[in-house]
C-alpha cells in the first residue's frame, strides 16, 4: 500500500466502492471531481486502486476543515483511516483550527488522533448529494 497527495492522474475506475450506505451517493466520476477540487487530498492506494481517501478544504493560513474520510469496508481496521488523518493533519501545522464534523459514533476515532469533541451544526442539501452536475 502507498499513500499519495495528488488526484490529478486518477481515473474513475480506481474510485469504486465508496460512500457506503449513502442513499444517493456520487459515482466514481463525481468522487474524482471532488478529490480534484479539494484543497488537499491524501489517498491510500493498493494494486492501483484507491482504498481510502481524506479531503481538506483550507485557507492555508488559519483554518482547515476535513469534510470527507472513508476507507473501503474490506480494508477497515488496518490503521489506514488513522494514517490518512495523521498525514493530513501533519500538512496543516500552520493552521490554528483543524475541524471535523462527524456522526457521534465516529468521535472516539478522532479522539484517538488527538482531536477534541465539540458540538457542531450542519446543513445538507439532499438534492445535491449525488453531485448531479
Ligand atoms: C472511520 C474510518 C475512516 C476509520 O478507518 P479505519 O481504517 O477502519 O480506522 P483505523 O484502522 O485507523 O482505526 C483506528 C482506531 O479507531 C477505531 N475506529 C475505527 N473506526 C471507528 C468508528 N467508526 N468509530 C469508532 N472507532 C473507530 C478502531 O477500532 C481503531 O481503534 P484501536 O486503535 O483501539 O484499535 C472507517 O471506519 C470508515 O471509512 N467509515 C465510514 C465513513 C466514515 O464514517 N467516515 C468518517 C466521516 S467524518
Amino acid at each position: 500500500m502507498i499513500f499519495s497527495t495528488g488526484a490529478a492522474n486518477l481515473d474513475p475506475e480506481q474510485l469504486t466502492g465508496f460512500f457506503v450506505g449513502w442513499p444517493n451517493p456520487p459515482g466514481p466520476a463525481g468522487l474524482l471531481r471532488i478529490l480534484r477540487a479539494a484543497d488537499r487530498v491524501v489517498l491510500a492506494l493498493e494494486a492501483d486502486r484507491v482504498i481510502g481517501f481524506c479531503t481538506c478544504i483550507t485557507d492555508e493560513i488559519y483554518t482547515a476543515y476535513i469534510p470527507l474520510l472513508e476507507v473501503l469496508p474490506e480494508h477497515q481496521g488496518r490503521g489506514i483511516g488513522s494514517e490518512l488523518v495523521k498525514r493530513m493533519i501533519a500538512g496543516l501545522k500552520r493552521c490554528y483550527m483543524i475541524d471535523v464534523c462527524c456522526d457521534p459514533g465516529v468521535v472516539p476515532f478522532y479522539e484517538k488522533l488527538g482531536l477534541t469533541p465539540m458540538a457542531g451544526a450542519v446543513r445538507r442539501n439532499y438534492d445535491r448529494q449525488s453531485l448531479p452536475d
Side-chain angles (χ1 to χ4, degrees):
M1 192 206 4
I2 60 164
F3 290 92
S4 160
T5 55
N9 296 323
L10 288 179
D11 294 317
E13 298 73 38
Q14 296 171 272
L15 290 165
T16 55
F18 287 105
F19 299 107
V20 174
W22 288 41
N24 201 14
L31 176 54
L32 183 55
R33 285 173 58 201
I34 292 167
L35 296 176
R36 286 181 176 163
D39 293 312
R40 288 170 176 253
V41 62
V42 183
L43 308 170
L45 293 118
E46 197 164 82
D48 215 28
R49 186 181 179 201
V50 176
I51 60 172
F53 69 90
C54 181
T55 61
C56 178
I57 305 300
T58 177
D59 55 29
E60 300 286 355
I61 56 170
Y62 202 70
T63 67
Y65 175 59
I66 296 175
L68 291 173
L69 167 72
E70 188 168 355
V71 174
L72 290 177
E74 61 270 34
H75 294 284
Q76 290 178 11
R78 294 173 54 192
I80 297 170
S82 299
E83 191 61 28
L84 290 169
V85 175
K86 281 180 194 165
R87 285 173 182 249
M88 185 63 82
I89 289 175
L92 295 166
K93 281 200 169 72
R94 69 165 64 174
C95 287
Y96 163 61
M97 297 166 57
I98 302 172
D99 294 355
V100 174
C101 202
C102 67
D103 291 339
V106 192
V107 170
F109 167 79
Y110 286 109
E111 283 187 278
K112 284 186 182 127
L113 294 165
L115 282 78
T116 306
M118 186 174 277
V122 304
R123 175 184 169 120
R124 297 285 182 262
N125 295 322
Y126 284 103
D127 61 328
R128 303 298 304 167
Q129 192 182 64
S130 66
L131 201 62
D133 52 44

